Amino acid sequence: MKIGELADKTGMAASAIRYYEQSGLLPKPERGANGYRDYADAAIERLRRIQMAQSLGFSLDAIRSVFASNEELSKDDLLSKLDGRLKEIEKLMDTLREQHQHLGSLRSTLQESWAEGECLNTTNLVNGKLAEQY
């Protein structure tokens, strides 16, 4: 199938398909006598897997490493990769929760300080000494 048909079937832009091909995520297709790419039906499944992996937050490098092996990913390997991604997400969520808490505290401190007509020293804010004022 031509790249336009593959794009229609996957909902991807032709430029994205060409990018995945150039970056090694999608095998290079056969070329017709006219030079046009002629993709096999397997390209549809490969692109759907790429889309799914990206939607789950896997990097293109991580996806590429899975496809680099000509062997199918074992169930244990797949579960291990999913567990790794879950741990990354949990760590990110912890970081975001902590930042959310600090921002909320900073906002409250600033609002209270400004309501009293005071100004906070930014050096103290950076060093985490929210109570010290200028």
Side-chain angles (χ1 to χ4, degrees), residues 17-91:
I17 295 169
R18 284 190 290 273
Y19 173 77
Y20 292 145
E21 181 186 327
Q22 291 168 355
S23 66
L25 288 164
L26 186 65
K28 295 206 179 291
E30 298 291 322
R31 295 257 184 182
N34 57 8
Y36 291 168
R37 291 171 171 90
D38 187 21
Y39 292 93
D41 289 338
I44 296 169
E45 183 61 27
R46 173 69 70 101
L47 289 171
R48 287 186 178 143
R49 288 180 182 184
I50 292 169
Q51 285 176 313
M52 181 182 68
Q54 280 190 295
S55 74
L56 295 173
F58 287 94
S59 69
L60 291 181
D61 286 338
I63 299 167
R64 190 177 295 106
S65 72
V66 168
F67 289 142
S69 170
N70 290 335
E71 299 174 16
E72 275 293 313
L73 196 60
S74 74
K75 291 176 184 178
D76 289 338
D77 288 342
L78 178 58
L79 291 175
S80 175
K81 292 198 181 296
L82 292 174
D83 287 341
R85 181 63 186 143
L86 284 168
K87 286 178 185 171
E88 289 174 9
I89 290 170
E90 288 168 7
K91 186 175 178 181

Side-chain angles (χ1 to χ4, degrees), residues 1 4 6 10 12 20 27-28 34 40 45 54 74 86 92-93 100-101 107 119-120:
M1 82 189 86
L6 182 58
T10 60
M12 299 178 85
Y20 292 145
K28 295 206 179 291
N34 57 8
E45 183 61 27
Q54 280 190 295
S74 74
L86 284 168
L92 180 58
M93 288 172 60
H100 184 270
Q101 182 180 7
R107 185 183 189 287
C119 183
L120 291 176

